[in-house]
Amino acid sequence: MSDSHDRPGEEQAPRAAAIQMASGPHVSANLLEAERLLAAAAASGAALAVLPENFAMLGQDDAERVEHAEGDGDGPLQQWLKEQARRHEIWIVGGTIPLEAEAGRISAACLVYDHAGERRARFDKMHLFDVTLPDGREQYRESASTRPGREVVVLDSPIGRLGLAVCYDLRFPELFREMSDQGAEVFAVPSAFTAQTGRAHWELLLRARAVENLCYVVAGAQGGFHVSGRETWGHSMIVDPWGGILAEQEQGSGVVSAPISLERLRSLRKRFPVLSHRQMATV
Ligand SMILES: O=C(O)CNC(=O)[C@H](CS)NC(=O)CCC(=O)C(=O)O
């Protein structure tokens, strides 16, 4: 099947943007940078932009993260996201921000705002990063400060039916299959992969989730050296349903964008109906 020479409707297709940052511990500095990148995304003609996981603060200890948590529906980070969406007239998948969950734990919430600043969705990161990396030097216990989400979220957006997942969620294909069953055409995956695991798995996982579900993937990530001493992998990218990388930002701050052609997606799904060939589907 031809691929790159067969892109009906791409000229008129809405664009999506993936934003990459190397966030530090200072919220106001991160927000200034995020605003610069959102403005650039809007200027590139994107209808929707995906911010990275923890765009507003990275590298804090658990206590600080819990301290920054906001009540659902009201708080400076939520106000900021709403205002940015309205100001730049762009849909924002707001990476993650900490929302109050229970004593001592937050929810890593991915909020979606439309171009008028109305909140359209909330997804809480479902799978938590409780691992020791194979080299034995990096350890994470995300569940100590974060309560896992339980609910799968798929919503209509200007770039198609959008499913939400955060970072480590990318390793759980059953979540993406469920979103696919709920009609997802595009996955937004705000992330902060480690440099070590990112090098080995990031592109592989993004392209696998795209190909096995015949979906676009828009992944905005943390990418660089952080004040905390951590290094994140970056390589924010937009992947098409055939697994091709349409745009990529390898390292550092930046924004990349690409057209999301549902016409192309539908014609591909029609000619290559892998989603209707499932033998073990539970639905
Ligand atoms: O801690 C912060 O400040 C921001 N949050 C993160 O970095 C999160 C939780 S620790 N990172 C991941 O989920 C990495 C997953 C990953 O790298 C993999 O699956 O390989």
Side-chain angles (χ1 to χ4, degrees), residues 9-282:
E10 204 151 83
E11 314 75 44
Q12 303 85 32
R15 297 182 76 82
I19 289 177
Q20 183 156 295
M21 295 176 64
S23 301
H26 303 296
V27 174
S28 56
N30 296 328
L31 295 186
L32 275 176
E33 179 65 353
E35 164 146 36
R36 182 180 79 80
L37 295 165
L38 283 167
S44 80
L48 177 148
V50 178
L51 285 166
E53 183 178 22
N54 272 311
F55 67 95
M57 61 193 87
L58 196 123
Q60 272 146 330
D61 60 31
D62 290 353
E64 278 173 303
R65 204 192 308 249
V66 171
E67 223 168 86
H68 271 102
E70 302 180 356
D72 187 3
D74 181 35
L77 293 175
Q78 290 166 88
Q79 197 54 43
W80 184 88
L81 283 166
K82 185 183 177 68
E83 259 174 48
Q84 291 295 315
R86 210 164 31 194
R87 183 174 308 159
H88 302 293
E89 294 178 63
I90 190 170
W91 278 56
I92 299 177
V93 176
T96 56
I97 62 168
L99 292 187
E100 289 162 5
E102 61 195 22
R105 293 212 297 180
I106 56 121
S107 297
C110 175
L111 305 179
V112 179
Y113 291 84
D114 70 16
H115 63 291
E118 292 305 314
R119 188 168 118 178
R120 295 294 189 105
R122 168 182 173 173
F123 169 76
D124 292 352
K125 185 178 188 179
M126 197 176 262
H127 303 89
L128 301 180
F129 198 46
D130 289 350
V131 304
T132 301
L133 299 194
D135 76 353
R137 283 184 306 191
E138 267 181 79
Q139 256 192 41
Y140 297 87
R141 289 290 172 268
E142 192 176 22
S143 65
S145 63
T146 308
R147 185 178 74 182
R150 295 264 167 247
E151 214 177 302
V152 176
V153 176
V154 178
L155 67 147
D156 290 324
S157 86
I159 59 165
R161 217 161 145 69
L162 184 71
L164 304 175
V166 174
C167 198
Y168 190 51
D169 286 329
L170 186 57
R171 293 183 182 273
F172 299 84
E174 63 274 24
L175 168 60
F176 289 76
R177 195 57 117 188
E178 174 59 31
M179 295 193 285
S180 167
D181 284 341
Q182 293 187 24
E185 297 164 317
V186 184
F187 299 128
V189 192
S191 298
F193 255 54
T194 72
Q196 213 183 124
T197 58
R199 182 175 289 109
H201 301 152
W202 168 249
E203 181 183 321
L204 172 70
L205 289 166
L206 289 171
R207 296 177 68 192
R209 296 298 87 86
V211 166
E212 69 201 3
N213 296 294
L214 297 178
C215 282
Y216 283 91
V217 180
V218 185
Q222 295 283 351
F225 292 91
H226 303 267
V227 175
S228 61
R230 259 178 79 180
E231 188 188 355
T232 46
W233 178 241
H235 295 75
S236 292
M237 61 177 80
I238 301 174
V239 182
D240 74 17
W242 197 239
I245 298 174
L246 299 179
E248 178 173 8
Q249 170 87 15
E250 293 194 1
Q251 274 294 301
S253 238
V255 45
V256 292
S257 70
I260 305 295
S261 170
L262 295 183
E263 201 179 315
R264 180 165 176 241
L265 179 143
R266 283 167 194 151
S267 82
L268 175 62
R269 285 183 177 186
K270 204 162 153 204
R271 285 178 286 165
F272 198 82
V274 60
L275 292 172
S276 68
H277 291 157
R278 291 164 63 194
Q279 296 296 326
M280 296 180 63
T282 53

